[in-house]
Amino acid sequence: MRRHNWTRSVIATVSSASAILAFGAATAAAQPQTPAPDASETTEQLPAHDDDSEDALTENDDEQASGVRAVDWLNATLTVPALNGCPEEETVTFDDGKAEAGNQVYRFAFDGVVEYADVNGDGRDDALVLIDCGPRDSHYTGALVAFTEDADSSAGDDAMVLSPLGAVVNPGIWTQRPIDFMTWHGDIAVAMLDHDLPENAEAAGQIWTEYYRWSSDSETFERIDD
């Protein structure tokens, strides 16, 4: 097995993957009054997460940012749910995108990709974060995790606290990982990669798309295209 260091160039690759273009059609049932974008429009709209994009980590407007948008994610204290690489829920404090708890190492993937959308239908933005975790000096696994802001009754009526909604994608195989995602009316399309052959992954058909939606009944993210 090899340990791979991933960069945003991998994310840029996925913007051309044809599988992501089906997102509008796959989730149209959730908002039938809104036409699904055609392929040419979707290709332009899918972010490549380059350094000029509206990243939560560097582009917060101090006068307007509130809720999850006001969080300094790379230096936040977060309760990270149990993931394949880190099987116990842990509350960790990140320092420049990295944190440790015992023998477990956590880090923000791709230098810190955070996107905002209301994915649980409560009318407020939630945060979607790509996180790597695993034992020290071993292989990391990648997951897409959603965080929300809840009322903190122990700290006053108006106090809020960050809490995890849960893992959107948490592959059980370490070679598979989410590398990009986009939201549409609360549904989440996730580009996945099996990184055994990263240089020619798209040509080899190793990039695919999975679709998820928050379930208020189970209070988990459920796959809707399976």
Side-chain angles (χ1 to χ4, degrees):
M1 290 186 177
R2 304 180 305 279
R3 179 170 173 177
H4 299 279
N5 293 320
W6 295 96
T7 64
R8 292 188 180 184
S9 62
V10 179
I11 290 185
T13 301
V14 78
S15 65
S16 63
S18 59
I20 200 74
L21 304 182
F23 183 39
T27 60
Q31 292 289 339
Q33 73 278 13
T34 304
D38 62 32
S40 61
E41 291 174 344
T42 309
T43 302
E44 295 176 357
Q45 292 168 3
L46 181 63
H49 296 302
D50 58 26
D51 292 336
D52 295 326
S53 66
E54 187 180 353
D55 252 355
L57 309 175
T58 57
E59 300 295 330
N60 279 335
D61 187 329
D62 293 335
E63 295 183 357
Q64 299 180 4
S66 61
V68 294
R69 291 180 177 268
V71 174
D72 178 9
W73 288 96
L74 289 182
N75 298 289
T77 297
L78 302 174
T79 298
V80 181
L83 302 173
N84 183 41
C86 301
E88 300 292 333
E89 179 179 277
E90 291 283 356
T91 298
V92 294
T93 298
F94 286 87
D95 181 7
D96 195 24
K98 301 178 180 65
E100 295 188 15
N103 191 45
Q104 305 299 315
V105 178
Y106 299 80
R107 66 183 182 186
F108 280 73
F110 307 113
D111 301 321
V113 175
V114 180
E115 298 288 343
Y116 303 118
D118 177 13
V119 295
N120 64 351
D122 66 356
R124 296 177 298 165
D125 278 344
D126 308 299
L128 296 166
V129 183
L130 289 169
I131 291 180
D132 291 343
C133 70
R136 188 181 291 107
D137 300 324
S138 183
H139 297 290
Y140 296 134
T141 59
L144 177 60
V145 182
F147 293 91
T148 192
E149 195 177 46
D150 290 327
D152 185 0
S153 58
S154 64
D157 293 340
D158 297 328
M160 304 295 287
V161 63
L162 284 174
S163 62
L165 272 176
V168 181
V169 179
N170 180 29
I173 302 173
W174 78 268
T175 61
Q176 296 180 4
R177 62 177 297 128
I179 59 171
D180 201 4
F181 60 93
M182 63 182 295
T183 61
W184 195 70
H185 294 286
D187 289 349
I188 308 166
V190 186
M192 301 291 296
L193 172 70
D194 188 323
H195 57 68
D196 274 343
L197 297 171
E199 290 81 6
N200 61 349
E202 185 176 1
Q206 290 183 297
I207 291 177
W208 68 97
T209 309
E210 298 176 359
Y211 304 88
Y212 293 85
R213 178 181 299 158
W214 173 257
S215 169
S216 57
D217 293 331
S218 64
E219 295 188 338
T220 61
F221 289 94
E222 297 180 352
R223 189 168 176 180
I224 59 176
D225 65 314
D226 197 359

